[in-house]
Structures are given as C-alpha cells and as structure tokens.
C-alpha cells in the first residue's frame, strides 16, 4: 500500500478533507515500483534534478542489469551515453549470456561479434537460409544478418574492422556452437528409433517440462515427429501431386526451424 506516484496529490486531498481519491493499483516488486515512480516523475510535476536522475539510473542498473542503456535512459530521463558511463562505474555484474533487453522488448547481444561469426558459418553451411532464420539462430537482428551476407558476397570479413579485436574469441565461440549443432544433427541421424522414443519418454516424465504449458507444448511437438520410417513413407506416398510443392516448401521451413532451435539451444550451453 505504498504510494508510488502522487504523494502530493494525496496529501492535498487529505487537507481538503476528502474521504476518497481515485487510484490505480500496481502489483509488482519494489524494484519495479521504483522504476514506475521514476518514469512517472520525469513526465509530469516538478522535474527531477540531473543528480536525482543519475542516482535513479544507477539504482535501476543494479536492479535491472538485463535492461539496455537506452531502456534505462528512457525511464530515467537521461541519455543512453550517460547510462553507459554510470554502468561502467557501478559494480553490477554483467548479464548472463552477454545480452540485454531493449526498449522494444527484444533480447540482443552486447557484443554481436560472436553472432556475426556464427551467422557467417550458418550462411556458408546452408546458403538457402533466409535472413530471418539466420538472425534467429545467431541471436542477431535481420539487418545485421543482411550485412554479414553482403560482406561475405563481397569477399569481406563478416566483422567490421573496428570489431576485429574480438574476432578470435568470437570465432572460437561460434566454432564451438556450430560444432555442437553439427555434431548433434549428425548424431540424431544415426540414433535408432527405439532410442529416440526412449529419450522422448524420459523427457515426458520430467516435471520441469510436464508441469508448465511451454514444456508440454515442446513435448507435443517432439511426439509428433516420432513417427516410424514406414509411417513417414505412407504420408509421403499419399501427398496429392497438386500439393507436392507446397508440402515440400513447408517441410523445408519446418526443418529449418528445428535446425535453428538446435543451434540456439546449443548456444545456451556455451
């Protein structure tokens, strides 16, 4: 029941002798309540001083380290560059995975070097992937994926020269991720059906997957793909000729999506 925004309005209502005042409840953590209070107080009423805004930004950096500099800047009313400088001076630990959440809600890597390297390897291994597929698998934006593809077509390095210092580390990370994905795909191709069914059965018994909707959705998808070779052959044989091209195209899209999932899951283990 703490007032997040409108302390002065509440006090004025009390002094007038009002018995009621219109309010809006906010249900969340103290850290999120503080963010709401700061965001509200930079848009109306007596503006916060620059010192107050910087102090608020420093506190938000600690409580929400996963937010991007621009995201925090939009809340605290200062520039993204100032937020970056404050972040460098704080002792807040870096976000796990080296990524941050932007104003649009998307997660982007702090350093896209590893993503660019992985994208270049994906393009080399499968030139038919779309920019959106490459972007999703490598954890970069479609525009960055386009830039990587254009650089490769011109025979240039996928990393801009200014990022060359991080190339070696990024290359090793991308190499490891791609190797895991390739090895995983190769292993899946030779795993007997009985072992695959047993693996899915073990996953079905895992409470971490069974007791949440996302996990159950994953299990349903995996079960759908556990058909025997003869069952797949029967399906293929009964595809109407006039639907063949559409079915083939959709099958390739689905296969590409599963490839992306495999790469991104492998990246989480990096």
């Amino acid at each position: 029941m703490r007032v997040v925004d409108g302390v002065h309005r509440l006090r004025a209502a009390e002094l007038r002798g009002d018995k009621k005042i219109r309010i809006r409840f906010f249900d969340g953590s103290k850290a999120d309540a503080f963010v709401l209070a700061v965001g509200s107080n930079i848009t109306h009423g007596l503006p916060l001083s620059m010192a107050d805004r910087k102090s608020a930004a420093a506190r938000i950096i600690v409580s929400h380290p996963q937010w991007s500099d621009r995201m925090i800047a939009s809340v605290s009313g200062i520039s993204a560059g100032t937020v970056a400088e404050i972040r460098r001076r704080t002792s807040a630990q870096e976000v796990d995975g080296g990524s941050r959440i932007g104003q649009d809600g998307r997660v982007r890597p702090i350093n896209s070097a590893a993503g660019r390297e992985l994208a270049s390897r994906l393009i080399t291994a499968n030139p038919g992937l779309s920019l959106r597929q490459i972007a999703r698998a490598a954890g970069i934006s479609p525009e960055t994926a386009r830039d990587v593809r254009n650089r490769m077509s011109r025979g240039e390095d996928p990393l801009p020269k200014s990022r060359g210092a991080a190339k070696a580390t990024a290359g090793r990370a991308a190499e490891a991720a791609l190797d895991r994905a390739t090895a995983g795909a190769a292993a899946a191709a030779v795993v007997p059906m009985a072992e695959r069914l047993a693996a899915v059965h073990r996953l079905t018994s895992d409470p971490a997957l069974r007791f949440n909707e996302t996990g159950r959705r994953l299990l349903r998808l995996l079960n759908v793909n556990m058909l025997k070779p003869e069952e797949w052959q029967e399906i293929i044989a009964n595809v109407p000729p006039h639907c063949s091209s559409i079915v083939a195209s959709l099958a390739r899209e689905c296969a590409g999506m599963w490839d992306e999932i495999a790469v991104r899951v492998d990246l989480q283990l990096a």
Side-chain angles (χ1 to χ4, degrees), residues 167-190:
K167 181 180 177 181
T169 301
R172 287 193 295 270
E175 185 76 50
L178 191 64
D179 285 348
R180 284 194 301 272
T182 304
V190 298

Side-chain angles (χ1 to χ4, degrees), residues 190-242:
V190 298
V191 173
M193 172 59 68
E195 291 186 22
R196 278 185 282 166
L197 289 172
V200 173
H201 179 72
R202 287 195 299 272
L203 290 176
T204 304
S205 304
D206 192 328
L209 294 174
R210 289 177 55 196
F211 297 135
N212 66 84
E213 181 55 37
T214 304
R216 289 193 293 270
R217 190 181 307 163
L218 173 60
L219 291 173
R220 286 196 294 269
L221 288 170
L222 291 172
N223 274 295
V224 165
N225 286 273
M226 288 299 109
L227 297 180
K228 297 177 181 179
E230 55 269 24
E231 293 176 311
W232 282 118
Q233 184 56 47
E234 184 179 0
I235 291 173
I236 295 168
N238 284 280
V239 173
H242 64 279

Side-chain angles (χ1 to χ4, degrees), residues 43-84:
T43 57
H44 63 72
L46 184 65
L48 295 175
S49 67
M50 181 56 69
D52 288 338
R53 296 183 185 198
K54 289 183 177 180
S55 176
R59 181 170 168 179
I60 295 173
I61 287 171
V62 174
S63 65
H64 295 73
Q66 74 278 16
W67 282 10
S68 69
D69 294 339
R70 291 185 181 277
M71 180 75 161
I72 295 175
S74 69
V75 173
S76 55
I78 56 179
S79 70
T82 302
V83 174

Side-chain angles (χ1 to χ4, degrees), residues 3-12 21 40-41 44:
V3 178
V4 175
D5 180 41
V7 173
H8 296 100
R9 280 169 282 164
L10 176 61
R11 181 58 178 157
I21 186 172
S40 299
N41 280 281
H44 63 72

